Amino acid sequence: MRAYDIILKKRNGEVLEKEELEYMINGCVNGTIPDYQTAAFLMAVYFKHLTRQETYYLTEIMRYSGDTIDLSQISGITVDKHSTGGVGDKTTLVLGPMVAACGAKVAKLSGRGLGHTGGTIDKLESIPGFKTNIDMTRWIEQVNTIGFAIAGQTANLVPGDKKIYALRDVTATVDEPSLIASSIMSKKLAGGADAFVLDVKVGSGAFMPDVDSAKELAKIMVDIAKKAGKEAVAILTNMDEPLGNKIGNALEVIEAVDTLKGNGPDDFTNLCITLGKYMLKMALSMDLKEAEKRLEESISSGKAYEKFLEFVQAQNGDIDYVVNPTRMLTNDGVYEMKAEQDSYLCKINTQKVGIAANLLGAGRESKDDKIDYSVGFDFLKKPGDLLKKDDKIVKIYYNDEIRLEESISTLKKAIRCGKKENVEKNQLIFDIIG
Ligand code: URA
């Protein structure tokens, strides 16, 4: 077999055999195929796509390219949830404790920030002492005792995706549905859970900008899960504005704690309840109405908040920072961006908000950068809100004046104000697949 012939075959729009995909991925991981040939292969896939069967083969090849996790020691059905990536998306921090407080087992593998999107592992690490590199035996034990554990990906979990993803990132081949689906599902399947809730983001802050392309991605992922003998439901959700009000690692933990105490923003709380009820349906065969009621009770009774404290303590986090979360905000200053005239907040370009947060230091510019956990944004207004001149739109938590200036300039381009008829506001949930 030769990489050249496989690239040519895909470039000509032909369907590849499993062995040919195996040859490309294994060669890419072990270095026998040079990056320029893998990059050419990815570009051929970008233009000619993969069939559902090819996508499934690619997923399985990447799934078994390194270690896989065996969750058979966890009693009951384990559920995992994955978001395709967004801005202000702190869902796991609330969803995990809520669902676990209702009796389900959540074994969650999470990632760090990627591009303009944030990552759960970074958010949790803003709690002093919190450990995400726990070994698998302890992880499984914690799911059995507390019902909820989060671990970061180990070095040898799905190395095939790690290598391919890094190449896609620099060859403009990220946003091909078959490549996104196989990347996400290879990691989910290697993580070993029985059922998955997939939060497929749609809009300016997501990889899929419109409902049709997001639906296509959702169908491919659900199809892969089915072929692998697992259950999955994909929920298409709005990422055309930041989720909730707060963006930035410590700020998002603070908003998650507020939400667990029943004081969260409506959009974020509703999304957690929607995703959570499908997790309960799959884990405990619970009727959706009953699941919704139980999730709401987990908040009003304080049980979800208590579960979060238990979870943070189990993973070495200092719970005093959860009890008094503003202790995490060790900023030099807070800048308030105000409305220049009477108007409506028409639209927030969410990708630009993510970039502006990274400019402040909330994300990494290169892979070894240190994150500044305490910086970020607190939006006091959302699209559709009426603004009076000098009303505060967003508070910017910063530590460095130069970074602040760069961030303000990007943020100004992200926020559009104007007449009421120009307001762009989307529904929270677009569709449910599977
Ligand atoms: N998240 C992933 O893990 N992979 C992708 O390709 C896109 C989002």
Side-chain angles (χ1 to χ4, degrees), residues 343-400:
S343 58
Y344 280 86
L345 205 172
C346 294
K347 167 127 181 118
I348 299 176
N349 180 310
T350 312
Q351 184 182 30
K352 286 201 176 104
V353 172
I355 294 168
N358 283 356
L359 287 171
L360 274 183
R364 297 175 185 80
E365 275 164 41
S366 60
K367 82 177 174 22
D368 298 321
D369 279 354
K370 268 202 169 334
I371 279 189
D372 187 344
Y373 294 112
S374 62
V375 298
F377 306 131
D378 186 2
F379 276 87
L380 307 175
K381 302 286 179 187
K382 300 278 267 181
D385 285 352
L386 173 66
L387 304 172
K388 291 277 170 211
K389 185 173 183 303
D390 288 334
D391 272 357
K392 292 171 203 158
I393 300 177
V394 53
K395 284 189 189 174
I396 306 177
Y397 291 75
Y398 69 94
N399 277 323
D400 178 313

Tab-separated table of all heavy atoms in Angstrom, residues 343-400:
chain	number	residue	atom	x	y	z
A	343	SER	N	-29.991	52.689	22.738
A	343	SER	CA	-30.083	51.743	21.609
A	343	SER	C	-30.526	50.377	22.143
A	343	SER	O	-30.853	50.248	23.322
A	343	SER	CB	-28.719	51.599	20.927
A	343	SER	OG	-27.767	51.164	21.872
A	344	TYR	N	-30.497	49.378	21.264
A	344	TYR	CA	-30.709	47.981	21.681
A	344	TYR	C	-29.422	47.214	21.452
A	344	TYR	O	-28.677	47.515	20.512
A	344	TYR	CB	-31.821	47.329	20.859
A	344	TYR	CG	-33.197	47.708	21.361
A	344	TYR	CD1	-33.803	48.876	20.918
A	344	TYR	CD2	-33.864	46.910	22.284
A	344	TYR	CE1	-35.050	49.246	21.385
A	344	TYR	CE2	-35.117	47.274	22.755
A	344	TYR	CZ	-35.702	48.436	22.307
A	344	TYR	OH	-36.925	48.795	22.774
A	345	LEU	N	-29.175	46.200	22.302
A	345	LEU	CA	-28.040	45.319	22.017
A	345	LEU	C	-28.541	44.331	20.951
A	345	LEU	O	-29.435	43.519	21.222
A	345	LEU	CB	-27.592	44.592	23.292
A	345	LEU	CG	-26.137	44.141	23.323
A	345	LEU	CD1	-25.749	43.627	24.679
A	345	LEU	CD2	-25.794	43.147	22.276
A	346	CYS	N	-28.015	44.472	19.712
A	346	CYS	CA	-28.559	43.683	18.595
A	346	CYS	C	-27.920	42.311	18.488
A	346	CYS	O	-28.603	41.321	18.280
A	346	CYS	CB	-28.352	44.432	17.277
A	346	CYS	SG	-29.302	45.944	17.209
A	347	LYS	N	-26.594	42.242	18.594
A	347	LYS	CA	-25.924	40.958	18.354
A	347	LYS	C	-24.565	40.947	19.038
A	347	LYS	O	-23.893	41.972	19.123
A	347	LYS	CB	-25.761	40.786	16.832
A	347	LYS	CG	-24.827	39.693	16.397
A	347	LYS	CD	-25.454	38.740	15.414
A	347	LYS	CE	-24.459	37.649	15.041
A	347	LYS	NZ	-24.872	36.348	15.400
A	348	ILE	N	-24.176	39.757	19.509
A	348	ILE	CA	-22.819	39.581	20.039
A	348	ILE	C	-22.140	38.522	19.176
A	348	ILE	O	-22.628	37.386	19.106
A	348	ILE	CB	-22.845	39.109	21.517
A	348	ILE	CG1	-23.536	40.159	22.406
A	348	ILE	CG2	-21.432	38.849	22.017
A	348	ILE	CD1	-23.703	39.742	23.866
A	349	ASN	N	-21.053	38.886	18.500
A	349	ASN	CA	-20.316	37.880	17.721
A	349	ASN	C	-19.497	37.041	18.710
A	349	ASN	O	-18.516	37.508	19.294
A	349	ASN	CB	-19.404	38.555	16.690
A	349	ASN	CG	-18.629	37.524	15.869
A	349	ASN	OD1	-18.013	36.614	16.444
A	349	ASN	ND2	-18.679	37.645	14.570
A	350	THR	N	-19.929	35.819	18.884
A	350	THR	CA	-19.422	35.001	19.989
A	350	THR	C	-17.985	34.551	19.781
A	350	THR	O	-17.221	34.441	20.736
A	350	THR	CB	-20.366	33.800	20.171
A	350	THR	OG1	-21.698	34.319	20.177
A	350	THR	CG2	-20.122	33.090	21.457
A	351	GLN	N	-17.610	34.290	18.549
A	351	GLN	CA	-16.213	33.890	18.309
A	351	GLN	C	-15.279	35.036	18.715
A	351	GLN	O	-14.253	34.827	19.367
A	351	GLN	CB	-16.005	33.536	16.841
A	351	GLN	CG	-14.592	33.036	16.604
A	351	GLN	CD	-14.330	32.718	15.154
A	351	GLN	OE1	-14.923	33.327	14.266
A	351	GLN	NE2	-13.460	31.769	14.903
A	352	LYS	N	-15.671	36.262	18.357
A	352	LYS	CA	-14.826	37.419	18.709
A	352	LYS	C	-14.742	37.599	20.230
A	352	LYS	O	-13.707	37.995	20.756
A	352	LYS	CB	-15.382	38.703	18.064
A	352	LYS	CG	-15.132	38.762	16.560
A	352	LYS	CD	-15.207	40.198	16.055
A	352	LYS	CE	-14.866	40.252	14.578
A	352	LYS	NZ	-16.023	40.413	13.711
A	353	VAL	N	-15.837	37.302	20.930
A	353	VAL	CA	-15.809	37.393	22.397
A	353	VAL	C	-14.797	36.376	22.950
A	353	VAL	O	-14.004	36.687	23.850
A	353	VAL	CB	-17.218	37.137	22.999
A	353	VAL	CG1	-17.150	37.048	24.516
A	353	VAL	CG2	-18.175	38.231	22.578
A	354	GLY	N	-14.806	35.164	22.383
A	354	GLY	CA	-13.846	34.132	22.806
A	354	GLY	C	-12.416	34.596	22.554
A	354	GLY	O	-11.535	34.424	23.404
A	355	ILE	N	-12.200	35.217	21.404
A	355	ILE	CA	-10.848	35.707	21.079
A	355	ILE	C	-10.461	36.839	22.041
A	355	ILE	O	-9.339	36.880	22.558
A	355	ILE	CB	-10.787	36.176	19.599
A	355	ILE	CG1	-10.973	34.958	18.673
A	355	ILE	CG2	-9.469	36.885	19.297
A	355	ILE	CD1	-11.216	35.300	17.219
A	356	ALA	N	-11.424	37.736	22.317
A	356	ALA	CA	-11.144	38.853	23.236
A	356	ALA	C	-10.798	38.326	24.635
A	356	ALA	O	-9.934	38.882	25.323
A	356	ALA	CB	-12.344	39.796	23.300
A	357	ALA	N	-11.452	37.242	25.062
A	357	ALA	CA	-11.152	36.643	26.375
A	357	ALA	C	-9.736	36.063	26.363
A	357	ALA	O	-8.975	36.215	27.325
A	357	ALA	CB	-12.173	35.558	26.715
A	358	ASN	N	-9.364	35.431	25.248
A	358	ASN	CA	-8.013	34.885	25.153
A	358	ASN	C	-6.967	35.993	25.164
A	358	ASN	O	-5.886	35.841	25.738
A	358	ASN	CB	-7.865	34.041	23.883
A	358	ASN	CG	-8.524	32.685	24.047
A	358	ASN	OD1	-9.011	32.361	25.127
A	358	ASN	ND2	-8.559	31.899	22.988
A	359	LEU	N	-7.294	37.135	24.526
A	359	LEU	CA	-6.355	38.257	24.529
A	359	LEU	C	-6.104	38.771	25.952
A	359	LEU	O	-5.013	39.224	26.278
A	359	LEU	CB	-6.882	39.401	23.653
A	359	LEU	CG	-6.818	39.153	22.140
A	359	LEU	CD1	-7.572	40.245	21.385
A	359	LEU	CD2	-5.366	39.099	21.661
A	360	LEU	N	-7.105	38.662	26.806
A	360	LEU	CA	-6.941	39.064	28.209
A	360	LEU	C	-6.045	38.094	28.976
A	360	LEU	O	-5.519	38.429	30.027
A	360	LEU	CB	-8.304	39.052	28.918
A	360	LEU	CG	-9.209	40.251	28.874
A	360	LEU	CD1	-10.438	39.967	29.728
A	360	LEU	CD2	-8.514	41.510	29.380
A	361	GLY	N	-5.944	36.849	28.448
A	361	GLY	CA	-5.128	35.825	29.118
A	361	GLY	C	-5.941	34.629	29.588
A	361	GLY	O	-5.417	33.741	30.258
A	362	ALA	N	-7.249	34.572	29.211
A	362	ALA	CA	-8.100	33.463	29.670
A	362	ALA	C	-7.803	32.155	28.924
A	362	ALA	O	-8.196	31.081	29.382
A	362	ALA	CB	-9.566	33.835	29.494
A	363	GLY	N	-7.139	32.253	27.766
A	363	GLY	CA	-6.779	31.044	27.007
A	363	GLY	C	-5.296	31.085	26.645
A	363	GLY	O	-4.586	32.018	27.041
A	364	ARG	N	-4.871	30.074	25.907
A	364	ARG	CA	-3.450	29.990	25.548
A	364	ARG	C	-3.217	30.477	24.126
A	364	ARG	O	-4.029	30.191	23.250
A	364	ARG	CB	-2.967	28.532	25.612
A	364	ARG	CG	-3.049	27.948	26.965
A	364	ARG	CD	-2.667	26.467	26.957
A	364	ARG	NE	-2.883	25.920	28.289
A	364	ARG	CZ	-4.076	25.543	28.749
A	364	ARG	NH1	-5.143	25.596	27.988
A	364	ARG	NH2	-4.188	25.092	29.969
A	365	GLU	N	-2.093	31.180	23.915
A	365	GLU	CA	-1.717	31.517	22.536
A	365	GLU	C	-0.892	30.391	21.948
A	365	GLU	O	-0.985	30.069	20.790
A	365	GLU	CB	-0.917	32.819	22.522
A	365	GLU	CG	-1.821	34.041	22.491
A	365	GLU	CD	-1.093	35.303	22.864
A	365	GLU	OE1	0.055	35.490	22.435
A	365	GLU	OE2	-1.681	36.110	23.608
A	366	SER	N	-0.032	29.786	22.771
A	366	SER	CA	0.663	28.579	22.313
A	366	SER	C	0.535	27.531	23.407
A	366	SER	O	0.195	27.864	24.555
A	366	SER	CB	2.121	28.876	21.972
A	366	SER	OG	2.759	29.350	23.109
A	367	LYS	N	0.839	26.285	23.056
A	367	LYS	CA	0.341	25.203	23.907
A	367	LYS	C	0.918	25.178	25.325
A	367	LYS	O	0.284	24.648	26.214
A	367	LYS	CB	0.455	23.865	23.175
A	367	LYS	CG	1.744	23.152	23.165
A	367	LYS	CD	1.544	21.838	22.428
A	367	LYS	CE	2.794	21.023	22.198
A	367	LYS	NZ	3.934	21.223	23.018
A	368	ASP	N	2.094	25.788	25.544
A	368	ASP	CA	2.670	25.753	26.891
A	368	ASP	C	2.391	27.020	27.703
A	368	ASP	O	2.891	27.167	28.818
A	368	ASP	CB	4.193	25.508	26.795
A	368	ASP	CG	4.474	24.162	26.151
A	368	ASP	OD1	3.731	23.205	26.440
A	368	ASP	OD2	5.425	24.067	25.344
A	369	ASP	N	1.571	27.921	27.164
A	369	ASP	CA	1.256	29.161	27.888
A	369	ASP	C	0.530	28.877	29.194
A	369	ASP	O	-0.220	27.909	29.292
A	369	ASP	CB	0.322	30.047	27.045
A	369	ASP	CG	1.091	30.833	26.010
A	369	ASP	OD1	2.331	30.767	26.033
A	369	ASP	OD2	0.445	31.492	25.191
A	370	LYS	N	0.762	29.756	30.186
A	370	LYS	CA	0.028	29.656	31.450
A	370	LYS	C	-1.246	30.490	31.332
A	370	LYS	O	-1.216	31.608	30.813
A	370	LYS	CB	0.881	30.214	32.587
A	370	LYS	CG	1.714	29.157	33.282
A	370	LYS	CD	2.105	29.632	34.681
A	370	LYS	CE	2.707	28.571	35.562
A	370	LYS	NZ	2.386	27.214	35.346
A	371	ILE	N	-2.346	29.948	31.827
A	371	ILE	CA	-3.621	30.662	31.776
A	371	ILE	C	-3.730	31.627	32.959
A	371	ILE	O	-3.239	31.320	34.041
A	371	ILE	CB	-4.767	29.629	31.799
A	371	ILE	CG1	-4.952	29.074	30.393
A	371	ILE	CG2	-6.053	30.198	32.347
A	371	ILE	CD1	-6.150	28.219	30.231
A	372	ASP	N	-4.366	32.766	32.732
A	372	ASP	CA	-4.683	33.669	33.833
A	372	ASP	C	-6.146	33.383	34.219
A	372	ASP	O	-7.075	33.801	33.534
A	372	ASP	CB	-4.500	35.129	33.365
A	372	ASP	CG	-4.638	36.109	34.516
A	372	ASP	OD1	-5.165	35.695	35.569
A	372	ASP	OD2	-4.231	37.269	34.356
A	373	TYR	N	-6.311	32.628	35.308
A	373	TYR	CA	-7.649	32.133	35.651
A	373	TYR	C	-8.643	33.234	36.021
A	373	TYR	O	-9.840	33.075	35.868
A	373	TYR	CB	-7.555	31.138	36.819
A	373	TYR	CG	-6.805	29.883	36.444
A	373	TYR	CD1	-5.562	29.587	36.999
A	373	TYR	CD2	-7.344	28.990	35.519
A	373	TYR	CE1	-4.865	28.446	36.636
A	373	TYR	CE2	-6.656	27.847	35.151
A	373	TYR	CZ	-5.420	27.584	35.712
A	373	TYR	OH	-4.741	26.455	35.349
A	374	SER	N	-8.124	34.357	36.532
A	374	SER	CA	-9.057	35.330	37.114
A	374	SER	C	-9.599	36.350	36.113
A	374	SER	O	-10.464	37.143	36.463
A	374	SER	CB	-8.378	36.055	38.280
A	374	SER	OG	-7.262	36.769	37.802
A	375	VAL	N	-9.103	36.338	34.867
A	375	VAL	CA	-9.574	37.357	33.915
A	375	VAL	C	-10.809	36.876	33.145
A	375	VAL	O	-11.062	35.676	33.060
A	375	VAL	CB	-8.457	37.740	32.897
A	375	VAL	CG1	-7.274	38.346	33.615
A	375	VAL	CG2	-8.049	36.548	32.044
A	376	GLY	N	-11.544	37.818	32.600
A	376	GLY	CA	-12.700	37.440	31.768
A	376	GLY	C	-13.766	38.526	31.739
A	376	GLY	O	-13.499	39.680	32.110
A	377	PHE	N	-14.944	38.147	31.301
A	377	PHE	CA	-16.037	39.103	31.116
A	377	PHE	C	-17.265	38.701	31.927
A	377	PHE	O	-17.555	37.516	32.069
A	377	PHE	CB	-16.490	39.131	29.642
A	377	PHE	CG	-15.374	39.379	28.680
A	377	PHE	CD1	-15.200	38.559	27.565
A	377	PHE	CD2	-14.491	40.439	28.862
A	377	PHE	CE1	-14.171	38.787	26.669
A	377	PHE	CE2	-13.463	40.682	27.968
A	377	PHE	CZ	-13.301	39.849	26.870
A	378	ASP	N	-17.969	39.724	32.370
A	378	ASP	CA	-19.288	39.495	32.964
A	378	ASP	C	-20.265	40.383	32.182
A	378	ASP	O	-20.261	41.611	32.349
A	378	ASP	CB	-19.264	39.868	34.455
A	378	ASP	CG	-20.576	39.515	35.138
A	378	ASP	OD1	-21.466	38.947	34.462
A	378	ASP	OD2	-20.709	39.799	36.341
A	379	PHE	N	-21.059	39.755	31.312
A	379	PHE	CA	-22.023	40.519	30.507
A	379	PHE	C	-23.241	40.872	31.365
A	379	PHE	O	-23.877	39.988	31.931
A	379	PHE	CB	-22.470	39.709	29.283
A	379	PHE	CG	-21.512	39.835	28.126
A	379	PHE	CD1	-20.419	38.994	28.015
A	379	PHE	CD2	-21.691	40.821	27.173
A	379	PHE	CE1	-19.524	39.134	26.960
A	379	PHE	CE2	-20.802	40.972	26.118
A	379	PHE	CZ	-19.717	40.122	26.007
A	380	LEU	N	-23.549	42.170	31.434
A	380	LEU	CA	-24.717	42.601	32.207
A	380	LEU	C	-25.926	42.758	31.290
A	380	LEU	O	-27.045	42.925	31.752
A	380	LEU	CB	-24.406	43.919	32.920
A	380	LEU	CG	-23.116	43.878	33.768
A	380	LEU	CD1	-22.797	45.235	34.344
A	380	LEU	CD2	-23.234	42.855	34.892
A	381	LYS	N	-25.680	42.732	29.969
A	381	LYS	CA	-26.762	42.845	28.982
A	381	LYS	C	-26.624	41.721	27.955
A	381	LYS	O	-25.512	41.296	27.645
A	381	LYS	CB	-26.694	44.191	28.248
A	381	LYS	CG	-26.775	45.402	29.144
A	381	LYS	CD	-28.194	45.633	29.666
A	381	LYS	CE	-28.230	46.844	30.590
A	381	LYS	NZ	-29.527	47.001	31.245
A	382	LYS	N	-27.769	41.303	27.406
A	382	LYS	CA	-27.807	40.242	26.392
A	382	LYS	C	-28.497	40.793	25.147
A	382	LYS	O	-29.215	41.811	25.236
A	382	LYS	CB	-28.624	39.046	26.893
A	382	LYS	CG	-28.114	38.381	28.156
A	382	LYS	CD	-27.005	37.412	27.907
A	382	LYS	CE	-27.493	35.994	27.714
A	382	LYS	NZ	-26.369	35.060	27.505
A	383	PRO	N	-28.350	40.133	23.971
A	383	PRO	CA	-29.055	40.604	22.777
A	383	PRO	C	-30.557	40.749	23.050
A	383	PRO	O	-31.167	39.892	23.685
A	383	PRO	CB	-28.771	39.512	21.752
A	383	PRO	CG	-27.451	38.965	22.170
A	383	PRO	CD	-27.474	38.992	23.680
A	384	GLY	N	-31.105	41.870	22.576
A	384	GLY	CA	-32.533	42.140	22.798
A	384	GLY	C	-32.746	43.157	23.908
A	384	GLY	O	-33.819	43.757	24.002
A	385	ASP	N	-31.742	43.359	24.771
A	385	ASP	CA	-31.917	44.293	25.895
A	385	ASP	C	-31.852	45.738	25.418
A	385	ASP	O	-31.048	46.086	24.532
A	385	ASP	CB	-30.821	44.074	26.954
A	385	ASP	CG	-31.063	42.821	27.783
A	385	ASP	OD1	-32.149	42.226	27.633
A	385	ASP	OD2	-30.167	42.434	28.559
A	386	LEU	N	-32.694	46.560	26.053
A	386	LEU	CA	-32.690	48.009	25.790
A	386	LEU	C	-31.514	48.619	26.558
A	386	LEU	O	-31.280	48.290	27.716
A	386	LEU	CB	-34.015	48.593	26.278
A	386	LEU	CG	-34.159	50.111	26.249
A	386	LEU	CD1	-34.157	50.624	24.808
A	386	LEU	CD2	-35.450	50.532	26.946
A	387	LEU	N	-30.782	49.520	25.885
A	387	LEU	CA	-29.645	50.181	26.549
A	387	LEU	C	-29.909	51.673	26.636
A	387	LEU	O	-30.305	52.296	25.642
A	387	LEU	CB	-28.353	49.975	25.734
A	387	LEU	CG	-27.924	48.553	25.406
A	387	LEU	CD1	-26.742	48.571	24.438
A	387	LEU	CD2	-27.530	47.809	26.680
A	388	LYS	N	-29.677	52.220	27.794
A	388	LYS	CA	-29.684	53.690	27.950
A	388	LYS	C	-28.225	54.141	27.907
A	388	LYS	O	-27.344	53.387	28.347
A	388	LYS	CB	-30.300	54.069	29.308
A	388	LYS	CG	-31.777	53.783	29.388
A	388	LYS	CD	-32.545	54.917	28.771
A	388	LYS	CE	-34.001	54.584	28.602
A	388	LYS	NZ	-34.584	55.252	27.444
A	389	LYS	N	-27.988	55.341	27.390
A	389	LYS	CA	-26.604	55.855	27.335
A	389	LYS	C	-25.942	55.682	28.717
A	389	LYS	O	-26.565	55.959	29.737
A	389	LYS	CB	-26.613	57.335	26.932
A	389	LYS	CG	-25.228	57.913	26.733
A	389	LYS	CD	-25.291	59.323	26.180
A	389	LYS	CE	-23.949	59.920	25.900
A	389	LYS	NZ	-23.008	60.010	26.935
A	390	ASP	N	-24.711	55.162	28.703
A	390	ASP	CA	-23.898	54.923	29.907
A	390	ASP	C	-24.309	53.690	30.714
A	390	ASP	O	-23.732	53.433	31.770
A	390	ASP	CB	-23.855	56.157	30.835
A	390	ASP	CG	-22.995	57.255	30.236
A	390	ASP	OD1	-22.091	56.915	29.439
A	390	ASP	OD2	-23.251	58.434	30.513
A	391	ASP	N	-25.311	52.946	30.239
A	391	ASP	CA	-25.593	51.657	30.895
A	391	ASP	C	-24.363	50.759	30.747
A	391	ASP	O	-23.744	50.726	29.676
A	391	ASP	CB	-26.769	50.935	30.191
A	391	ASP	CG	-28.108	51.343	30.764
A	391	ASP	OD1	-28.130	52.121	31.720
A	391	ASP	OD2	-29.133	50.870	30.223
A	392	LYS	N	-24.063	50.004	31.800
A	392	LYS	CA	-22.933	49.078	31.704
A	392	LYS	C	-23.343	47.874	30.864
A	392	LYS	O	-24.387	47.259	31.138
A	392	LYS	CB	-22.531	48.589	33.095
A	392	LYS	CG	-21.930	49.672	33.954
A	392	LYS	CD	-21.768	49.153	35.373
A	392	LYS	CE	-21.715	50.331	36.323
A	392	LYS	NZ	-22.059	49.992	37.685
A	393	ILE	N	-22.528	47.526	29.854
A	393	ILE	CA	-22.827	46.341	29.026
A	393	ILE	C	-22.041	45.141	29.542
A	393	ILE	O	-22.567	44.051	29.686
A	393	ILE	CB	-22.479	46.594	27.543
A	393	ILE	CG1	-23.284	47.771	26.998
A	393	ILE	CG2	-22.708	45.336	26.705
A	393	ILE	CD1	-22.957	48.136	25.562
A	394	VAL	N	-20.760	45.369	29.823
A	394	VAL	CA	-19.928	44.243	30.243
A	394	VAL	C	-18.831	44.731	31.186
A	394	VAL	O	-18.290	45.823	31.006
A	394	VAL	CB	-19.340	43.505	28.999
A	394	VAL	CG1	-18.621	44.409	28.051
A	394	VAL	CG2	-18.424	42.361	29.382
A	395	LYS	N	-18.568	43.917	32.205
A	395	LYS	CA	-17.440	44.211	33.108
A	395	LYS	C	-16.265	43.352	32.661
A	395	LYS	O	-16.433	42.141	32.457
A	395	LYS	CB	-17.794	43.809	34.536
A	395	LYS	CG	-18.733	44.747	35.233
A	395	LYS	CD	-18.764	44.270	36.678
A	395	LYS	CE	-19.809	44.930	37.491
A	395	LYS	NZ	-19.874	44.340	38.823
A	396	ILE	N	-15.118	43.967	32.542
A	396	ILE	CA	-13.926	43.225	32.095
A	396	ILE	C	-12.963	43.086	33.281
A	396	ILE	O	-12.479	44.093	33.810
A	396	ILE	CB	-13.229	43.954	30.923
A	396	ILE	CG1	-14.241	44.209	29.796
A	396	ILE	CG2	-12.031	43.151	30.429
A	396	ILE	CD1	-13.665	44.984	28.619
A	397	TYR	N	-12.723	41.863	33.692
A	397	TYR	CA	-11.787	41.584	34.781
A	397	TYR	C	-10.414	41.388	34.166
A	397	TYR	O	-10.228	40.488	33.349
A	397	TYR	CB	-12.216	40.321	35.544
A	397	TYR	CG	-13.483	40.512	36.337
A	397	TYR	CD1	-14.724	40.562	35.715
A	397	TYR	CD2	-13.440	40.669	37.719
A	397	TYR	CE1	-15.887	40.766	36.441
A	397	TYR	CE2	-14.599	40.872	38.458
A	397	TYR	CZ	-15.817	40.921	37.818
A	397	TYR	OH	-16.962	41.118	38.539
A	398	TYR	N	-9.451	42.234	34.533
A	398	TYR	CA	-8.143	42.175	33.862
A	398	TYR	C	-6.997	42.239	34.873
A	398	TYR	O	-7.196	42.588	36.034
A	398	TYR	CB	-8.022	43.316	32.844
A	398	TYR	CG	-7.917	44.689	33.462
A	398	TYR	CD1	-6.668	45.268	33.711
A	398	TYR	CD2	-9.055	45.405	33.824
A	398	TYR	CE1	-6.566	46.524	34.297
A	398	TYR	CE2	-8.957	46.649	34.419
A	398	TYR	CZ	-7.708	47.208	34.654
A	398	TYR	OH	-7.608	48.433	35.252
A	399	ASN	N	-5.795	41.942	34.358
A	399	ASN	CA	-4.584	42.042	35.177
A	399	ASN	C	-3.490	42.838	34.492
A	399	ASN	O	-2.501	43.142	35.120
A	399	ASN	CB	-4.030	40.640	35.488
A	399	ASN	CG	-4.760	40.021	36.669
A	399	ASN	OD1	-5.109	40.709	37.613
A	399	ASN	ND2	-5.025	38.733	36.592
A	400	ASP	N	-3.655	43.116	33.195
A	400	ASP	CA	-2.569	43.721	32.429
A	400	ASP	C	-3.176	44.779	31.505
A	400	ASP	O	-4.055	44.466	30.697
A	400	ASP	CB	-1.898	42.582	31.638
A	400	ASP	CG	-0.766	43.038	30.754
A	400	ASP	OD1	-0.917	44.035	30.013
A	400	ASP	OD2	0.276	42.381	30.782
